[in-house]
Amino acid sequence: MKRRGGWDRSTRTAALVAALVALPVTVAVAGLTFTALAPDEPAAGPSPSESVQALGPKSTVPVEMAAPPLAERPATVCRALLSKLPSSVRDLPQRPVTAGPEQNAAYGDPALTVSCGVPEPAIPLTDTVWVVEQVCWHASEQSDVTVLTTVDREAAVRVTVPKGYEQPLQWVSPISEAIVASILTAGPVPSGCRG
């Protein structure tokens, strides 16, 4: 007796055998295709940005820095600042310093340096200053670096930016954020610092 609307036993067996043969053949073809299309060598990871490549190799050698003794309040403020500094400034990783890790930090090679508790520069109240992330900076151009010093904080912070790093004020942005979080504003401040 023939079943209605269904397959008979021989048709079902033939379909099962065809499926059992087709599955391993499909897996084998997929494996061969993948092997043929895969590159012989793994893909290279992302390359560093051109600006970082231009800055030279990354060094972990401690950066030579002075650590003059600080009075109690500036020492406390500087420790607070150093605890809030980022682990990198833009693409520059932090490096160890030879002295005063509680008041000094360095990033990259050549080293961008941060010194807390430095003497505030004597500048006229009308001299040009730059406000970056709510911190007022005075810039001093030297032959191989730009020295940026805060002029509106109870403990002055100096950032030395090597000439190879373009637009020095952009480098102090993450440092300014740490300063705002750890060092109080103090006056008198140059007129350009007032909003």
Side-chain angles (χ1 to χ4, degrees):
M1 175 179 218
K2 190 174 182 180
R3 292 185 187 173
R4 278 203 220 158
W7 291 356
D8 64 8
R9 187 182 241 338
S10 62
T11 305
R12 276 187 290 174
T13 303
L16 184 59
V17 168
L20 291 174
V21 169
L23 183 62
V25 169
T26 302
V27 170
V29 169
L32 290 172
T33 302
F34 179 76
T35 303
L37 294 178
D40 292 337
E41 296 177 18
S47 62
S49 68
E50 287 180 20
S51 63
V52 172
Q53 287 177 350
L55 301 178
K58 306 247 185 309
S59 177
T60 58
V61 174
V63 176
E64 187 76 34
M65 294 187 74
L70 299 176
E72 185 178 345
R73 178 64 184 161
T76 301
V77 169
C78 289
R79 279 193 300 275
L81 170 65
L82 270 286
S83 72
K84 296 197 179 302
L85 285 177
S87 60
S88 63
V89 171
R90 295 178 72 184
D91 294 333
L92 305 178
Q94 192 166 12
R95 292 175 58 187
V97 294
T98 57
E102 69 284 347
Q103 68 194 69
N104 293 321
Y107 296 88
D109 187 14
L112 175 149
T113 62
V114 180
S115 301
C116 182
V118 299
E120 190 171 297
I123 61 170
L125 290 179
T126 56
D127 205 5
T128 301
V129 291
W130 308 95
V131 178
V132 178
E133 304 291 336
Q134 303 174 11
V135 176
C136 197
W137 296 91
H138 180 263
S140 171
E141 297 290 332
Q142 298 180 9
S143 62
D144 56 344
V145 295
T146 299
V147 178
L148 297 155
T149 309
T150 61
V151 292
D152 65 341
R153 300 290 151 166
E154 67 173 303
V157 177
R158 180 178 57 230
V159 177
T160 304
V161 183
K163 286 291 184 191
Y165 304 145
E166 295 178 4
Q167 302 175 349
L169 286 168
Q170 291 186 5
W171 293 92
V172 298
S173 182
I175 298 164
S176 292
E177 292 172 12
I179 290 170
V180 168
S182 57
I183 305 177
L184 297 174
T185 304
V189 297
S191 58
C193 298
R194 299 184 197 113

